[in-house]
Amino acid sequence: MTTTSGPAYQVVNPATGDVVETFDTATDADIEAAIAGATQAYASWKDVPITERGEIVKKVAALFAERADGLAAIANEEMGKPLSEGVEEAEFCQSIFDYFATEGPTLAADQPIKTFSGGKAVVQKLPVGPLLGIMPWNFPYYQIARFAAPNLMLGNTIILKHAESVPKSALAVEQIMKDAGVPEGAYVNVFASHEQIETIISDPRIQGVSLTGSERAGAIVAAIAGKNLKKCVLELGGSDPMIVLDSDDLGEVVDNAWDFRMYNTGQACNSNKRMIVMDDLFDDFVGKLTEKALAIDSFSPLSSRRAAEALAEQVDDAVSKGATLHAGGVLSDGPDAHYTPAVLSGITKDMRAYSEELFGPVAVVYKVGSDEEALALANDTTYGLGGAVFSKDPARAEKIAQRLEVGMANVNTTAGEGAEIPFGGVKRSGFGRELGPLGMDEFVNKRMFFIAD
């Protein structure tokens, strides 16, 4: 890994392009103190009864709700998230911490094994030690919550390295942990450089790493973890299909498609980035999407000018090779990060948009002539995060959804979501799961414990 030049951690308001505040990258001494502190805290935190850990995790949940407005304001300034969506994100964090605080003792309970030779056997779920979390900017609180909540309940300790563009969000979460009573060292934020990330993962005191981010970052982190024989969980990119087979109310389906695609300014890993629509519905579907795009007077910026420019390059590449831009797709002059919501069709395999993830407000629509063609197109991707199938005949939709090569398949909804619903993918979308019962099964010692008769 190489260290980036210039101030690594800084707040740049994407609505204006103004640099608001900068933060110093951690020193090597800071990194050593974080690792030592997490190791020392683990020695006592793991022995705190899980119900008592749950009481602290409950306080974390309450503070996310109590501070929702302030957290939303920080996210709005740092990465452009609409205030209402920032409040929703903080409230979702409350639900996640509440879920694991309440269900954690049951999820982590001993599991008896039926034996055939006498004796008593159980599988225990024990913590493993200090962990590193590497989190992205697009959901600056939720991404932390789904990693931190189950692991704090298990008794693991956490070193958290957040995206360089959201340092104030990172500090706000660290303050919540402190104010809730999480012991010193059990959760610590570090403004680490790329070189220091490698140092942390390589350190024998660190027992695992979880990353949500790009394919490139995931491959680098997985290589370092593998070289050091460390468990890792990766949640990477996605180009999720949304298949529309038929509908009694196409307007409602279009509303769902548009709202989910534009959520978080189109910057969600599992949003419906490829809308695959039957030929008899295609023109009407695209027309209704276009009306929605043209009706927008103003829209939130993307997270950064660089992100907006990268998206514009992908769309421009498609248009230059014959794709149809029905609406939007206008990049501001800068230095702000605004890009008007777009509707794009006519994508072919020679275009970057066919194989690359479009991380922004672009609705891409494909025309197909049969269920099998829809399924083949849906699975023709290196990604495998989620997918959805819509039909007025649930059995028809389920038949296709069962064959999607994804980690999360949905019928007649864009996404099944909740603190209790596992999240994760296959193929180049990564491996491992967060949230729900599976969220406590990643960084855990599933120890066999046997007592002879």
Side-chain angles (χ1 to χ4, degrees):
M1 285 185 163
T2 57
T3 305
T4 55
S5 60
Y9 290 82
Q10 62 179 8
V11 179
V12 180
N13 189 329
T16 64
D18 295 334
V19 177
V20 178
E21 191 172 359
T22 61
F23 296 81
D24 292 334
T25 301
T27 65
D28 290 344
D30 293 333
I31 298 301
E32 169 56 31
I35 297 173
T39 304
Q40 183 177 355
Y42 173 66
S44 55
W45 181 241
K46 66 182 176 63
D47 291 329
V48 174
I50 192 169
T51 52
E52 293 182 23
R53 293 197 296 261
E55 292 173 2
I56 294 175
V57 172
K58 272 279 189 184
K59 292 177 183 177
V60 172
L63 288 176
F64 266 103
E66 181 181 309
R67 300 178 185 180
D69 289 337
L71 295 171
I74 293 171
N76 176 262
E77 180 181 54
E78 289 191 312
M79 47 76 61
K81 187 182 295 287
L83 289 172
S84 62
E85 293 185 14
V87 170
E88 289 175 2
E89 182 177 347
E91 291 173 344
F92 195 14
C93 292
Q94 176 194 16
S95 298
I96 292 169
F97 280 97
D98 270 338
Y99 170 81
F100 284 107
T102 302
E103 301 296 326
T106 300
L107 296 175
D110 292 352
Q111 296 179 339
I113 300 174
K114 183 177 180 180
T115 62
F116 300 94
S117 58
K120 176 184 177 183
V122 297
V123 173
Q124 299 172 315
K125 293 187 178 181
L126 305 179
V128 294
L131 306 171
L132 172 65
I134 305 173
M135 297 296 122
W137 49 262
N138 60 329
F139 290 93
Y141 308 120
Y142 158 71
Q143 301 283 5
I144 294 177
R146 67 188 199 182
F147 167 63
N151 285 301
L152 287 174
M153 281 299 296
L154 282 165
N156 295 320
T157 55
I158 291 169
I159 297 173
L160 199 290
K161 187 274 174 199
H162 219 322
E164 289 89 343
S165 60
V166 290
K168 291 173 69 175
S169 294
L171 293 173
V173 174
E174 184 180 47
Q175 192 62 50
I176 283 176
M177 297 294 179
K178 290 178 179 178
D179 293 345
V182 175
E184 183 177 357
Y187 181 98
V188 59
N189 177 78
V190 292
F191 291 150
S193 69
H194 290 172
E195 288 178 337
Q196 290 169 336
I197 293 172
E198 183 167 3
T199 297
I200 297 170
I201 298 172
S202 302
D203 192 289
R205 292 167 290 184
I206 299 300
Q207 300 303 307
V209 55
S210 177
L211 175 139
T212 297
S214 67
E215 284 183 80
R216 178 178 178 274
I220 293 171
V221 165
I224 298 170
K227 182 174 65 175
N228 290 280
L229 300 179
K230 302 290 176 71
K231 168 72 180 284
C232 66
V233 168
L234 303 177
E235 195 273 279
L236 309 177
S239 189
D240 292 10
M242 174 184 173
I243 299 173
V244 182
L245 301 175
D246 55 33
S247 176
D248 285 331
D249 189 346
L250 189 61
E252 182 180 359
V253 175
V254 170
D255 287 346
N256 289 334
W258 181 258
D259 291 346
F260 194 51
R261 186 66 190 98
M262 295 300 130
Y263 190 75
N264 203 39
T265 321
Q267 300 166 123
C269 298
N270 66 326
S271 84
N272 49 337
K273 300 186 179 78
R274 295 179 298 139
M275 303 177 195
I276 301 170
V277 182
M278 283 293 172
D279 49 12
D280 60 330
L281 301 177
F282 179 83
D283 289 342
D284 199 9
F285 191 94
V286 170
K288 291 180 183 299
L289 284 179
T290 302
E291 290 174 7
K292 287 182 173 293
L294 294 175
I296 293 177
D297 293 325
S298 61
F299 202 64
S300 300
L302 273 75
S303 62
S304 68
R305 179 68 188 181
R306 183 173 62 179
E309 290 174 348
L311 182 66
E313 289 173 1
Q314 291 171 306
V315 173
D316 291 347
D317 169 77
V319 172
S320 70
K321 295 174 180 176
T324 300
L325 182 63
H326 300 268
V330 177
L331 176 66
S332 67
D333 293 333
D336 62 283
H338 288 90
Y339 186 83
T340 58
V343 179
L344 193 63
S345 69
I347 299 297
T348 55
K349 288 189 176 185
D350 62 324
M351 302 172 187
R352 291 175 58 193
Y354 187 89
S355 58
E356 296 179 7
E357 178 180 26
L358 300 186
F359 212 60
V362 180
V364 178
V365 192
Y366 292 83
K367 181 192 295 187
V368 292
S370 69
D371 292 17
E372 288 298 318
E373 184 184 358
L375 178 65
L377 178 57
N379 287 336
D380 187 22
T381 174
T382 60
Y383 295 105
L385 191 55
V389 185
F390 283 74
S391 174
K392 59 187 178 183
D393 179 357
R396 180 186 179 193
E398 183 177 347
K399 183 179 179 180
I400 299 299
Q402 290 281 13
R403 297 168 66 191
L404 291 175
E405 297 169 355
V406 298
M408 303 174 288
N410 305 274
V411 172
N412 286 335
T413 183
T414 49
E417 293 184 315
E420 75 282 8
I421 304 296
F423 190 103
V426 296
K427 298 197 281 190
R428 294 188 70 84
S429 289
F431 43 78
R433 295 294 182 268
E434 294 179 300
L435 298 178
L438 303 185
M440 290 189 74
D441 270 356
E442 294 293 347
F443 297 103
V444 60
N445 175 11
K446 299 170 186 174
R447 185 173 73 178
M448 188 284 298
F449 195 78
F450 187 85
I451 301 173
D453 288 337

